[in-house]
Amino acid sequence: MRYRQVHLDFHTSEKIQNIGGKFNKKEFQRALITGHVDSITLFSKCHHGWSYHPTRVNKMHPGLNFDLLGEQIEAAHEIGVKTPVYISAGLDEKYAVKHNEYCIRNKDQSTTWAPDFETPGYHKICMNTPYLDLLLEQTKEVLKNYDADG
């Protein structure tokens, strides 16, 4: 890891539209240079479960219509900034809603973090389920398709 590392926290609900619609490569680069950023963690997949790039093993965020991850990596690499990539593991709300049987539960069968699916929040998913296979496929896809730095 380099000296000036930024974690670009990017957990975006499917209700948000026009994700990255105003992304401008030169402005992004200028912000990284101005901030003396050496490395920026970019998002492949957030806690909501959406990918920020085209994918065959997941679903791209419905409010995104281009390869945001790819554009950010390209922009950063052009100015010598490293780009580790974040893939949310164990928190994937889209998957948790579809497969709530794989959620980690308390003794009273309530889910952790958010006690049920009516209360806002995230639900932890057990890694000892088919979810782990999906997570591995998502990771392999990013490693294959992108020049990530970690």
Side-chain angles (χ1 to χ4, degrees), residues 1-133:
M1 188 170 301
R2 292 186 165 185
Y3 177 72
R4 182 94 165 188
Q5 162 66 27
V6 171
H7 179 84
L8 187 63
D9 218 359
F10 205 77
H11 303 286
T12 310
S13 163
E14 61 278 0
K15 293 178 172 41
I16 306 299
Q17 297 300 307
N18 199 29
I19 301 298
K22 293 184 180 180
F23 178 79
N24 179 292
K25 179 179 177 179
K26 292 296 179 194
E27 287 181 17
F28 186 68
Q29 290 173 325
R30 190 169 24 257
L32 294 173
I33 292 166
T34 299
H36 303 283
V37 175
D38 296 312
S39 176
I40 184 167
T41 301
L42 303 172
F43 269 48
S44 165
K45 185 187 79 166
C46 72
H47 294 348
H48 290 273
W50 301 107
S51 292
Y52 296 94
H53 55 84
T55 174
R56 289 193 315 252
V57 297
N58 194 22
K59 290 186 178 178
M60 191 161 81
H61 191 290
L64 178 65
N65 62 15
F66 71 104
D67 185 351
L68 180 58
L69 177 62
E71 293 288 324
Q72 290 174 318
I73 289 173
E74 180 181 307
H77 281 177
E78 281 183 10
I79 59 170
V81 174
K82 296 291 186 185
T83 57
V85 173
Y86 180 93
I87 301 172
S88 183
L91 294 172
D92 182 326
E93 199 60 16
K94 179 171 55 61
Y95 189 88
V97 168
K98 185 174 181 181
H99 295 286
N100 63 65
E101 70 274 19
Y102 300 141
C103 289
I104 296 172
R105 297 188 182 272
N106 299 312
K107 286 182 180 183
D108 67 359
Q109 293 304 302
S110 63
T111 55
T112 57
W113 285 21
D116 53 48
F117 286 93
E118 300 298 317
T119 304
Y122 298 115
H123 300 85
K124 291 183 187 178
I125 303 169
C126 179
M127 293 290 183
N128 193 24
T129 66
Y131 170 74
L132 180 58
D133 296 326

